[in-house]
Amino acid sequence: MNRIYLIPAAALLAVTAYSCMRADAVTSMPVRKYTDLDRVRIDASIPSQEKEYEGFRVSFNKDNGTPNWVAWELLGSETDGPVKRSNKFRQDPDVEGCPTTDDYRHSGFDRGHLCPAADQKWSKQAMEDCFFLTNIAPQNNSLNTGAWNTLEGKERQWARRDSAIMIIAGPIYEATDTQRIGANGVRVPGAFFKVLAAPYATPPRGIAFVYPNMASPGNMENYSMSIRELEQITGYDFLYALPDSIEEIVESSASFREWNRRN
């Protein structure tokens, strides 16, 4: 069943209507979409090479050997599909500083996806793209297979509930995060963040999460915060393309219970 997003009347001037007809998606559905939600403003001093892949956009940091951020819109119709997991991690030769698989070998860290493979089952190309090492950062196995994986599963549930959500993920580095792995010196982050936004929900809402790069037990609500609080931690400007009235609501709210409701 095709679904149309209902957008507040005050925001209609800022919305571009178009049909989301991805060639090998499981289903196609008309979408009303704010433009440039998959872009993040960061300080000009931070190394950044942006690249748009089939299902996501990356800002890659050649000095760290990891992304600054990865952003994608997840439709409810994209949370499942016929494409099997690729597992073919590889270097992107078009991106300066992209590491190789050898950098992660015997490092003690997982090749942690920022945009997860399970979000890309709708497209063979998107699945292959998400295994580029531009979408990867060194992640503690207990986090990768534990709390981070649990959050990714929740995101797919929420995308099905809301028809579409915007997700932005990335590593967080402090000055004390000096550990590097491999011949290319891939920097190990001390934590990871997630931004979730449902700008088409009624009312619109948003939430953010920060997990330390280690086992993170307990309720995921303990790791939640507002997007505005995360902006203060990272110095990034998320969702700046939203109309101010919508951005204020999305970035200031942080109710995990509201996010986790069934409908």
Side-chain angles (χ1 to χ4, degrees), residues 51-197:
K51 183 169 181 178
E52 185 173 2
Y53 293 95
E54 175 70 10
F56 57 97
R57 181 184 296 275
V58 168
S59 161
F60 191 79
N61 187 317
K62 63 182 178 62
D63 289 353
N64 292 334
T66 62
N68 295 310
W69 51 264
V70 180
W72 67 104
E73 182 183 54
L74 181 62
L75 304 182
S77 61
E78 295 172 342
T79 58
D80 200 2
V83 180
K84 294 183 179 180
R85 183 182 172 93
S86 167
N87 282 328
K88 294 181 180 178
F89 291 92
R90 63 198 190 280
Q91 182 185 49
D92 188 337
D94 296 330
V95 177
E96 183 180 3
C98 182
T100 69
T101 55
D102 285 342
D103 288 309
Y104 283 83
R105 189 169 287 118
H106 307 304
S107 69
F109 291 93
D110 288 1
R111 293 165 295 192
H113 281 83
L114 277 302
C115 179
D119 286 7
Q120 307 301 321
K121 295 178 181 178
W122 56 275
S123 163
K124 184 176 184 295
Q125 185 62 57
M127 177 63 73
E128 292 176 355
D129 284 358
C130 82
F131 281 87
F132 276 120
L133 289 166
T134 48
N135 180 42
I136 304 296
Q139 196 165 52
N140 181 284
N141 175 261
S142 295
L143 176 63
N144 188 29
T145 61
W148 193 254
N149 182 62
T150 299
L151 178 57
E152 290 173 341
K154 281 287 189 181
E155 290 160 12
R156 288 185 282 278
Q157 293 178 22
W158 296 330
R160 288 190 290 270
R161 178 195 64 196
D162 293 335
S163 296
I165 59 173
M166 194 67 207
I167 307 173
I168 307 170
I172 296 177
Y173 291 100
E174 300 290 345
T176 53
D177 295 323
T178 58
Q179 183 178 5
R180 293 180 179 267
I181 60 172
N184 288 301
V186 181
R187 191 179 178 192
V188 179
F192 289 88
F193 73 81
K194 275 279 179 78
V195 168
L196 304 178

